[in-house]
Amino acid sequence: MPAPVPRQRAIPAAEGGQAPTAAPNGGSAQDSSEAGVTSPRAADPSEHTADRAGTAAHTNLTLLLIEDDPGGSPIVPELLDQSGKPIRVRTARNLTEAGRLLTDDVHCILLDLALPAPGRAGDADDELAVLKHVLELAPRHAVLALTGADDTERGAEAVRVGAQDYLVRDELDGRLLSRAIRYAVERKRSDSAERRLAEGRVRAQENRRLERGLLPTPLLDGSPLRFAARYRPGRSRALLGGDFYDVVRTPDGTVHAMIGDVCGHGPDEAALGVELRIAWRALTLAGLCGDQLLGTLQQVLEHERSDDEIFATLCAVDIAPDGRRAGLCLAGHPSPLLARPGRPARLLPYDNNGPALGLLPGARWPRMQVELGAEWSLMLYTDGLIEGKVGDTGERLGQDGMVEMIRRQLSEGLRGEELLRTAVNEVRDLNGGELTDDVAVLLLDRAV
């Protein structure tokens, strides 16, 4: 009777450390996959039946032997794992049978290098063609190569090609083979873990380079204003979140600043935030501002978002060339904070706050005129700075709490980058740990 085709699963036991599952009748759930396969350990039918019953209930390791003459197999009757439990053995006479028996509970493959090559183009002149085929068939399984005493060079070459070790047929006994299987399985697990770690490091480095490149570089050449920014994404180990900001100076001397927040915290929201920031910069440099600019940004959002429920809040200011006044547009976003010498820091008016981008088709965003004065600091921020909790009360810091915090820090002489760093760290400490929302803060200063 031909061997049935077991269902393939995702992770082999050699890599995942899985053990066979016990079936309700006391046997192994994999017993059915071995029906009709001759065991090299079976000296007679009664011994084979008794041995299978005991092995199925206690086996931790499974070996797949690929050899064209299973009857002459060198495997001895006592093949035990490190804890003394029997190692289950499956046998395959060729690579076709091996493919059917190679399920995820197989820990190790013992391959006879004398097995005929699979017959593909170019295999006839390749002494290790059968091994290479097995490595392609089972890239995540441990593989032991079996060779003759006069062919150890080919065994060593098999290890260089990808096998975990090689064994000499004439020197093989149960203890040596059991130890070799355990060693091969652990080495494969170690190699797989090291490979995944290396791949993860490469991906993380690529993501960091990509995200760092997507953060804005302010265009303030020729402006007397000083700029500082602080950014902390809510996603673990990310550099970029759904918050975005930018600052540019146009040829007429006007400084334009913007900060926004796409709802959500995933990579899709981060990508949309980058698109909106780049669109804002392009539109600003093209001469748009206020309601016209925000209306165009809303069109960009509507075309680029992955879901109709995604929206973005935004705060945009344009500071006159003399630095004494500014225009302010709010799209569902918290109002900026203005600090001036001799006066307490305060929030700018937000009575004419328009809706967030993407909520209302044909919406309008009024532009308010704001007097700044001769010397000032203007702080734009996202709601991640004000929505953190305060202690164990469950209350949010809120805008009032943030204003009081910034007033105190300004009175302590904190300015620029130091002020933003201290503010973000204090908000995190008040929250009792890392903030779940993205946080972006930028600060523009004018000194006389």
Side-chain angles (χ1 to χ4, degrees):
M1 182 174 102
V5 181
R7 181 171 59 89
Q8 294 284 344
R9 284 177 280 181
I11 302 177
E15 185 169 335
Q18 302 170 352
T21 304
N25 62 2
S28 168
Q30 286 294 331
D31 283 349
S32 61
S33 69
E34 296 180 359
V37 180
T38 304
S39 170
R41 301 174 55 196
D44 60 70
S46 61
E47 178 184 345
H48 176 65
T49 302
D51 182 67
R52 278 176 57 92
T55 300
H58 303 289
T59 296
N60 280 342
L61 292 176
T62 300
L63 174 72
L64 175 61
L65 171 65
I66 307 176
E67 188 185 33
D68 60 350
D69 184 18
S73 170
I75 299 177
V76 297
E78 291 299 327
L79 195 57
L80 307 176
D81 65 14
Q82 194 169 10
S83 61
K85 297 179 181 178
I87 296 176
R88 175 193 290 148
V89 180
R90 296 180 187 170
T91 59
R93 294 182 296 274
N94 51 54
L95 297 182
T96 301
E97 284 189 10
R100 292 198 299 265
L101 297 176
L102 189 62
T103 51
D104 64 329
D105 64 326
V106 172
H107 294 78
C108 185
I109 298 171
L110 179 59
L111 172 67
D112 186 359
L113 294 181
L115 195 72
R120 298 181 303 183
D123 286 345
D125 299 327
D126 189 347
E127 293 183 341
L128 295 176
V130 65
L131 172 63
K132 294 176 181 178
H133 187 84
V134 168
L135 293 175
E136 292 176 6
L137 183 68
R140 300 166 70 181
H141 288 75
V143 177
L144 289 171
L146 185 63
T147 187
D150 57 349
D151 203 10
T152 56
E153 282 298 323
R154 183 157 63 154
E157 181 63 24
V159 174
R160 287 191 288 270
V161 168
Q164 273 58 62
D165 202 351
Y166 76 93
L167 301 170
V168 178
R169 180 189 300 270
D170 296 339
E171 299 174 0
L172 202 61
D173 59 30
R175 179 177 297 180
L176 174 63
L177 180 55
S178 298
R179 185 168 61 248
I181 293 171
R182 296 195 303 269
Y183 169 79
V185 169
E186 292 306 320
R187 180 175 177 181
K188 185 64 177 181
R189 287 175 181 167
S190 176
D191 291 346
S192 298
E194 185 175 349
R195 184 191 70 250
R196 290 194 299 270
L197 181 61
E199 291 173 349
R201 286 172 176 166
V202 170
R203 284 194 299 270
Q205 291 172 356
E206 291 176 348
N207 289 339
R208 282 194 294 269
R209 284 195 296 268
L210 174 62
E211 292 180 333
R212 190 176 295 113
L214 293 175
L215 289 173
T217 301
L219 299 179
L220 284 174
D221 292 345
S223 172
L225 302 184
R226 294 175 299 184
F227 168 83
R230 198 76 178 168
Y231 197 100
R232 184 189 295 272
R235 287 185 297 141
S236 175
R237 296 189 297 274
L239 292 179
L240 201 63
D243 291 1
F244 55 99
Y245 67 88
D246 205 352
V247 179
V248 299
R249 180 176 183 264
T250 48
D252 64 354
T254 303
V255 172
H256 303 261
M258 171 273 296
I259 195 165
D261 181 2
V262 177
C263 66
H265 316 294
D268 291 339
E269 289 76 13
L272 182 56
V274 171
E275 290 180 286
L276 293 175
R277 178 186 68 77
I278 294 173
W280 177 87
R281 174 175 286 200
L283 294 170
T284 300
L285 293 175
L288 276 67
C289 68
D291 186 73
Q292 186 180 13
L293 188 150
L294 293 181
T296 308
L297 274 184
Q298 174 157 282
Q299 294 180 34
V300 173
L301 171 67
E302 290 170 346
H303 285 293
E304 297 297 331
R305 61 187 176 184
S306 58
D307 189 287
D308 289 343
E309 296 183 356
I310 292 178
F311 62 90
T313 65
L314 189 135
C315 168
V317 298
D318 53 276
I319 302 169
D322 63 7
R324 290 179 171 272
R325 61 190 182 280
L328 171 64
C329 285
L330 297 174
H333 200 88
S335 184
L337 181 145
L338 176 65
R340 292 184 287 189
R343 302 183 185 183
R346 65 179 179 87
L347 296 175
L348 292 181
Y350 50 89
D351 296 338
N352 291 327
N353 195 340
L357 303 178
L359 289 184
L360 298 176
R364 303 297 299 271
W365 296 271
R367 179 178 178 272
M368 295 175 286
Q369 190 74 19
V370 179
E371 294 297 326
L372 300 177
E375 186 174 354
W376 48 265
S377 295
L378 187 63
M379 189 178 83
L380 284 65
Y381 54 93
T382 58
D383 59 7
L385 188 69
I386 60 177
E387 291 190 348
K389 296 181 180 179
V390 180
D392 298 329
T393 64
E395 296 181 1
R396 304 288 184 181
L397 176 65
Q399 286 182 291
D400 292 340
M402 181 206 66
V403 171
E404 291 299 322
M405 179 186 69
I406 296 298
R407 286 176 177 174
R408 173 173 46 81
Q409 292 170 350
L410 287 170
S411 69
E412 296 170 356
L414 301 179
R415 298 292 186 274
E417 187 72 36
E418 185 180 11
L419 172 65
L420 300 187
R421 181 174 60 253
T422 303
V424 173
N425 288 341
E426 183 170 334
V427 169
R428 181 191 59 188
D429 293 341
L430 290 172
N431 189 62
E434 288 295 339
L435 301 165
T436 57
D437 199 1
D438 305 326
V439 177
V441 193
L442 69 85
L443 188 68
L444 289 170
D445 292 305
R446 184 178 189 268
V448 294

